[in-house]
Amino acid sequence: MTKNQPKIFGVTGWKNSGKTGLMVRLVRELTARGYRVSTVKHAHHDCDVDKPGADSHQHREAGAQEVALVSGARVALMQELRGAPEPSLDDILARLAPCDIVLVEGYKREPIPKIETRRRDARSTEPLAPFDPQILAVASDHAPDTDGPPRFDLDDTQGLAEFILRHLELPDTGHGR
C-alpha cells in the first residue's frame, strides 16, 4: 500500500485541547484497520526522552552529536541540535521508515491537512480554523459555532478516522470496523 511518500494528516490545537488523546485513539483505530501508522509530535519546549544517569544520556552530555539506543524491542535515535536550527517537518518525515499514514501532532503552521481539536478547558478557546485553510475539520467537546469546516465530537474516533481515510484516498484494508 505504501508508495514513495506516506499520506500525512495533522492534529492541531491549543494546549490541553485534546490533541494527544485524539492522536492515541486514531493510531489505535487506524492500526486496527490494518494501516501502518507513524507519528510525529512537535514540542515547543525543551523535551527530553532520555533519563539523566542512563548510559545514552551520559553519551549526549559528553558531547555526542547523535546517540542511537538499540535493543531487541526498539531503536531510538537522539540528535542534539547544539544550536543548529530545528529540522523542518519534511526533514523529519524523510527519516521515517515506510508506512501508510503519518499522523502529525502540533505543527500549527505547516501546510498539511489537519483536524483542529477544541476543549472548553484548553489554554485558549480561540478557533484556529478561520485562519488556516488546511484545517479540514474540527473535533470538540462542546458545540462550537456552526460556520466553517465539518464538526465532530472529540470522542468520535471512528468518524474522524473515516474522514481522514476519505481525504487521503486510502483504500480499505479489509480490516474495517
Side-chain angles (χ1 to χ4, degrees):
M1 184 179 310
T2 302
K3 302 232 181 346
N4 292 338
Q5 181 106 11
K7 303 285 189 162
I8 301 163
F9 207 97
V11 174
T12 193
W14 298 108
K15 184 176 180 166
N16 296 325
S17 65
K19 296 182 301 293
T20 300
L22 178 57
M23 287 279 293
V24 168
R25 292 189 308 274
L26 286 171
V27 169
R28 283 190 185 123
E29 179 70 22
L30 293 168
T31 57
R33 293 182 186 210
Y35 295 99
R36 293 175 300 157
V37 180
S38 293
T39 65
V40 176
K41 159 88 173 144
H42 187 261
H44 288 284
H45 45 81
D46 184 22
C47 66
D48 196 346
V49 297
D50 210 2
K51 295 178 189 169
D55 294 351
S56 54
H57 188 269
Q58 291 180 57
H59 297 183
R60 286 178 36 230
E61 291 296 309
Q65 179 74 23
E66 290 186 324
V67 176
L69 180 58
V70 182
S71 75
R74 68 191 48 87
V75 173
L77 178 62
M78 293 167 279
Q79 182 181 50
E80 288 296 314
L81 295 178
R82 304 212 188 278
E86 178 179 311
S88 69
L89 178 58
D90 285 339
D91 291 338
I92 299 302
L93 293 171
R95 295 178 184 196
L96 296 178
C99 64
D100 301 312
I101 304 169
V102 178
L103 293 178
V104 177
E105 180 178 344
Y107 287 98
K108 283 184 189 81
R109 291 163 185 67
E110 285 293 321
I112 60 172
K114 298 182 270 282
I115 292 171
E116 177 186 351
T117 56
R118 295 183 190 168
R119 270 203 181 132
R120 284 191 179 107
D121 60 349
R123 172 183 280 180
S124 173
T125 56
E126 174 144 358
L128 298 170
F131 310 103
D132 185 349
Q134 294 295 324
I135 293 176
L136 305 181
V138 173
S140 177
D141 70 349
H142 60 285
D145 55 57
T146 56
D147 294 336
R151 310 299 175 158
F152 291 84
D153 186 278
L154 190 55
D155 293 323
D156 184 6
T157 307
Q158 288 184 4
L160 288 160
E162 287 294 330
F163 180 84
I164 291 169
L165 293 173
R166 273 193 312 274
H167 178 77
L168 296 177
E169 299 178 342
L170 283 167
D172 188 347
T173 61
H175 295 90
R177 294 244 167 170

